[in-house]
Amino acid sequence: MERFFNSKAMAGLQKFGQKLGTNKFITALQAAMMSLMGILMVGAIFQIITSVLGPTMFGVLSDKSVIFNYLNIPYQFSMNSLSLWVVLFLAFNYAKTLKIETPIMSAINALFSFLIVAGALVVAKSGAVSIDLTYLGAQGMFIGFVVVFISVQVEKFCIDKNIRIKMPDVVPPFLQDGFSAILPLFFNAIIFLAASLAVTVLTAGKLTITSGFMALLAAPLSALTSTVGIFILCIFGALLWVFGIHGTMILVPIIMPLSIQAVSANAALHAAGKPVVFYPVMLFAYMAIAGGTGNTLALALMSLRSKSKQLSAVGKISAIPGWFNINEPMTFGIPIMYNPIMSIPYVLNIPVVMLCALVLYKVGFFVPGWIVITALLPMGFGSYLSTLSWTNAIGDYLMLIPSAIVWYPFFKVYEKQLVAKEAKAAAEEAAQAKKQAAVISADHDDTPTMGTHEAQPE
């Protein structure tokens, strides 16, 4: 097993994971997704309020009432405008990683370019002009990623080649920044207008650049988000962890946009009074539903009463964080990485728990999510808030059962090894202490004592 871990294939895989983890665009994408938490949580809170008070639950408010529509505004400008926020945060963070001095201008540049591509204008028969919101919500995130990459790279090129409108030094810095952004903004406008026009003309108006891009992604995304695809991705992420690569963080930029799209689609169904739909991408949550990646809370609870001092100590510091699905103390304290005995249940746990969740979805025990919750909450809280279903909250704790069944035999084998190792170390330490005590005693016996001499009379 050790030879396999140190093989060229594993070394190459680890190197690839490290490169991917340090890629500037991937790093910016991870930061952007985490930065969305505030927007998503506020939108989710108002979505819960309108759902509880609206016709879908208690019926206190009609969906046509003024109060209901006002309470719905934060949701419309958070979740239903999600791609706008993604583009802003992603462009800002990507510009920072590229050391661009004015990342806020890069964010505005990218948002302007994205609106050219995705913000199609619709003219009604009355002559009123409105913006088509179809791709400003979760659907437009993937084209938003492409727009951000191109627009920020165009700006970086202009900076590197010193292509800008120069102003005298006496001009205030904020005004200099505004003039410096004009040429990159102009170049981006030409690029994205030309691309949009080309797609529309070549398809005889059947496709726009956004709908065409999503059509191209349809096949790979459908494979990726199939039940089998999600299982494979999650197992792959666990394997990366085993070899010291943060598999979860590599998967999050791929899975999170797909998850948000699925939940947003369900939100629209729920608002229309229609039943919500299960999407296989929702199984991704069960990769870490009970204590973090690998569902390690059961292992932490077992460790609390372990005969091994190491396992007991790790369990004590891991149980509470594990309840919040934070398991780095457990992952690094056991350790699980490069540990053949504990790596097997760590990887195996994920498909087992996902399979249990899939069955509970199919029999109707679980309700598919329709509220986006991205905050780090204790077990059960996030599942309830995303569905307003107590069965989903209880389900988090039910997953401890299959998780514990997988962990237990491997835990006992590893515990036995550690107990023997600790006993041997304690015996050696006791023998060493006894030997040192004997040496000290021998040295003490060999030391001559200083006597007192009485004065003799002359």
Side-chain angles (χ1 to χ4, degrees):
M1 182 65 73
E2 186 176 351
R3 184 180 298 176
F4 174 69
F5 283 158
N6 294 325
S7 66
K8 290 183 179 180
M10 290 301 102
L13 182 62
Q14 187 170 11
K15 189 175 181 181
F16 169 74
Q18 289 169 348
K19 283 185 177 180
L20 192 62
T22 56
N23 179 273
K24 291 181 178 180
F25 188 78
I26 297 296
T27 302
L29 184 55
Q30 291 170 348
M33 289 299 170
M34 296 303 104
S35 300
L36 286 171
M37 184 179 294
I39 296 291
L40 294 178
M41 283 305 297
V42 171
I45 290 169
F46 279 92
Q47 188 182 9
I48 292 170
I49 292 172
T50 54
S51 297
V52 171
L53 298 180
T56 55
M57 291 189 70
F58 294 112
V60 176
L61 296 174
S62 165
D63 57 0
K64 295 180 181 179
S65 72
V66 174
I67 296 175
F68 180 89
N69 288 320
Y70 265 89
L71 288 174
N72 199 36
I73 288 174
Y75 171 75
Q76 296 299 328
F77 286 105
S78 55
M79 283 302 304
N80 268 7
S81 307
L82 187 60
S83 290
L84 298 178
W85 302 111
V86 170
V87 167
L88 276 173
F89 285 126
L90 178 56
F92 181 83
N93 284 287
Y94 188 38
K96 282 178 67 177
T97 61
L98 294 179
K99 309 297 182 185
I100 293 177
E101 293 182 0
T102 54
I104 188 62
M105 298 305 297
S106 303
I108 294 170
N109 190 335
L111 182 60
F112 173 78
S113 302
F114 179 70
L115 287 171
I116 289 175
V117 169
L121 297 178
V122 179
V123 181
K125 292 181 180 179
S126 62
V129 180
S130 59
I131 297 178
D132 184 358
L133 300 178
T134 303
Y135 292 102
L136 300 188
Q139 269 190 291
M141 277 195 292
F142 284 100
I143 188 66
F145 298 162
V146 176
V147 169
V148 167
F149 180 80
I150 294 172
S151 65
V152 175
Q153 285 293 338
V154 166
E155 184 174 1
K156 184 71 166 62
F157 176 82
C158 290
I159 292 171
D160 292 343
K161 301 299 180 181
N162 199 26
I163 303 172
R164 61 190 178 93
I165 298 175
K166 298 178 183 179
M167 301 295 291
D169 294 337
V170 294
V171 175
F174 61 85
L175 193 56
Q176 290 188 28
D177 295 339
F179 273 93
S180 296
I182 290 175
L183 289 180
L185 198 63
F186 178 70
F187 296 147
N188 277 317
I190 293 174
I191 292 170
F192 291 109
L193 277 173
S196 297
L197 181 62
V199 172
T200 303
V201 170
L202 291 173
T203 61
K206 294 179 180 179
L207 295 174
T208 62
I209 193 169
T210 44
S211 61
F213 184 78
M214 291 307 296
L216 286 174
L217 285 180
L221 285 182
S222 62
L224 193 66
T225 57
S226 66
T227 302
V228 174
I230 290 297
F231 270 81
I232 291 172
L233 276 178
C234 291
I235 293 170
F236 176 68
L239 288 171
L240 290 178
W241 260 116
V242 168
F243 299 116
I245 303 164
H246 202 312
T248 311
M249 292 306 292
I250 289 174
L251 294 181
V252 163
I254 302 169
I255 299 296
M256 191 171 179
L258 300 173
S259 298
I260 292 174
Q261 285 182 351
V263 175
S264 299
N266 273 345
L269 290 173
H270 188 272
K274 298 178 181 178
V276 292
V277 178
F278 166 72
Y279 292 87
V281 73
M282 294 174 178
L283 293 173
F284 177 69
Y286 293 88
M287 180 181 183
I289 201 69
T293 304
N295 299 302
T296 55
L297 182 57
L299 178 62
L301 295 175
M302 292 177 198
S303 299
L304 287 174
R305 299 178 62 83
S306 175
K307 297 176 183 177
S308 164
K309 293 179 180 179
Q310 177 184 328
L311 290 177
S312 178
V314 172
K316 289 175 182 177
I317 64 171
S318 301
I320 298 300
W323 188 47
F324 284 83
N325 290 327
I326 299 170
N327 70 338
E328 277 75 8
M330 178 60 63
T331 304
F332 295 103
I334 291 295
I336 290 172
M337 291 182 295
Y338 296 101
N339 184 337
I341 295 174
M342 302 308 279
S343 293
I344 295 171
Y346 181 80
V347 175
L348 185 60
N349 221 293
I350 290 170
V352 169
V353 172
M354 288 173 68
L355 182 61
C356 293
L358 178 62
V359 171
L360 292 176
Y361 271 117
K362 293 298 183 182
V363 299
F365 184 79
F366 280 169
V367 176
W370 51 276
I371 300 172
V372 175
I373 300 293
T374 58
L376 197 62
L377 299 170
M379 282 177 60
F381 285 70
S383 295
Y384 175 74
L385 292 174
S386 64
T387 59
L388 300 185
S389 169
W390 286 107
T391 57
N392 288 59
I394 295 169
D396 286 10
Y397 294 92
L398 291 178
M399 293 305 155
L400 287 170
I401 298 171
S403 175
I405 292 171
V406 173
W407 278 114
Y408 186 74
F410 296 92
F411 166 77
K412 294 305 290 183
V413 170
Y414 189 54
E415 181 188 45
K416 185 178 180 180
Q417 288 186 357
L418 286 181
V419 168
K421 185 178 178 181
E422 289 167 4
K424 182 180 178 181
E428 290 176 352
E429 187 177 345
Q432 185 68 23
K434 187 175 181 180
K435 183 177 179 181
Q436 289 178 348
V439 171
I440 292 171
S441 177
D443 290 344
H444 179 73
D445 291 341
D446 293 342
T447 302
T449 56
M450 298 297 293
T452 57
H453 300 279
E454 295 181 359
Q456 299 293 326
E458 292 180 4

